[in-house]
Amino acid sequence: MIKVPFLDLKAQYLSIKNEIDEAVKKVLDETAFIGGFHVREFEESFAKSQNIKHVIGVANGTDAISIALYALGLRKGDEVITVANSFIATTEAITAAGGKVVFVDCEENSFNIDTTQLESKITEKTKVIIPVHLYGQPANLDEVLRIAQKYNIFVLEDSAQAVFAEFKGKKIGNFGHISTFSFYPGKNLGAYGDAGAIATNDKDLAKNARMYANHGRISKYDHEFEGVNSRLDGIQAAILEVKLKHLNDWTEKRRAVAKRYNELLGDFKKIILPKEMFYAKHVYHLFVIRTQKRDELQDYLKENGIETGVHYPIALHNLLAYQYLGHKPEDFPNANKLSQEILSLPIFPEMTEEQINYVVKTIKAFNF
Ligand SMILES: *Cc1c(COP(=O)(O)O)cnc(C)c1O
């Protein structure tokens, strides 16, 4: 038996230990804990790497969404449309910003927003659409943008899982009015604590977001309105600056693991493999397969030393937290069905050929 973790943060740290330790020590020596050089440096590097003009570091990816909504001018009671199969952070942030959550179903093959159902959810109160680039694959941004333009609605890309992913050859985060990233440790670009960012090509939105994230001010005590305290700290910024330099390499390694899984499991008909859409460069934050025997397969893999995950086991509209919306499971049939069939296999840049082969062999040995 070989142990295969779901991801290996330790292996990644050890591969860059000297660089990281040095960067952290530098911040400690400078006591540049909040704001300052390291935060600015990372914001600039990240902006350049994503080809976006403005980046604002914030405390986490959930705050990034609610601050971005605030910057877009969301008012109490405005409706925000998003998918029923995301992490709760997406919808929590809508509520936190005063918005009303409106769900739309996902497509079965891409796991992303079903744009053919989008127009039926739009009312005169709809202010923002949030496509989530789930698992690292861009949503169909052409269609989202076409519909948003037609109705004069803002688009916020929840890019938490999709740093460096591309839609038709262009990095995500550049399509909507504003986009948000998470640097939670397990994300493709992970800090060593909570961290996040807002990105936009619009100067005014950037200024609004930056002020809102920092008590409604630009300089020390000139508060123009009440905001929140949600800032990226110096130590996380310095760590992210180091890790960003490796992100291209890590992204290609994730894609190589996905390619191996696809080669080795391509003709194994008992499971459904994830589909990379023609318009997408998928960055495989997660490699999500489907089977009707999901729970049994997960237990079997666990018994054999392989850690997996389910993202997410309960679709948002089925959560107790959203019972007040009064939805039935079958209101969003794809999100509902997928939540029972999906299984995220181990995938991380440091994964070895031996680990990949063992996962594949163990899946094939399971009695479906
Ligand atoms: C991780 C995640 C977030 C929230 O990010 P945090 O940094 O954990 O607050 C938001 N949306 C999606 C889709 C995520 O996966």
Side-chain angles (χ1 to χ4, degrees), residues 76-88:
K76 213 172 176 59
D78 285 342
E79 293 175 6
V80 181
I81 304 175
T82 195
V83 278
N85 64 326
S86 185
F87 179 54
I88 192 172

Side-chain angles (χ1 to χ4, degrees), residues 238-288:
I239 289 166
L240 288 166
E241 177 73 17
V242 169
K243 293 187 75 177
L244 183 59
K245 296 187 172 74
H246 299 273
L247 189 58
N248 254 326
D249 177 40
W250 288 334
T251 301
E252 292 314 315
K253 284 181 171 150
R254 281 179 183 276
R255 287 179 54 78
V257 175
K259 187 158 172 264
R260 274 314 271 157
Y261 273 142
N262 281 323
E263 284 164 1
L264 298 168
L265 289 165
D267 50 14
F268 185 68
K269 297 297 172 208
K270 302 273 170 52
I271 59 170
I272 301 173
L273 293 169
K275 185 170 158 55
E276 184 159 343
M277 305 302 281
F278 73 91
Y279 46 72
K281 180 179 178 182
H282 197 321
V283 294
Y284 293 99
H285 171 56
L286 297 170
F287 189 91
V288 179

Side-chain angles (χ1 to χ4, degrees), residues 59-65 85-93 132-135 158-162 180-185 187 193-197 285-286 311-312:
N60 57 70
T62 311
D63 279 4
I65 301 169
N85 64 326
S86 185
F87 179 54
I88 192 172
T90 314
T91 42
E92 234 171 23
V132 179
H133 304 311
L134 201 69
Y135 309 149
D158 181 346
S159 310
Q161 303 189 0
T180 58
F181 293 86
S182 165
F183 306 125
Y184 175 79
K187 295 279 159 71
D194 275 314
H285 171 56
L286 297 170
H311 303 88
Y312 300 90

Side-chain angles (χ1 to χ4, degrees), residues 8-18 20-21 192:
D8 197 340
L9 293 181
K10 187 76 182 267
Q12 187 166 88
Y13 170 57
L14 292 177
S15 75
I16 53 172
K17 188 176 183 314
N18 289 343
I20 293 279
D21 292 0
Y192 291 174

Side-chain angles (χ1 to χ4, degrees), residues 2 35 47 52 59 71 112 150 177 192 222-223 225 240 244 249 255 279 289 321 352 356:
I2 304 173
I52 302 185
N112 276 326
K150 181 169 164 192
H177 299 84
Y192 291 174
D222 60 349
H223 314 276
F225 51 85
L240 288 166
L244 183 59
D249 177 40
R255 287 179 54 78
Y279 46 72
I289 63 166
T352 64
I356 299 168

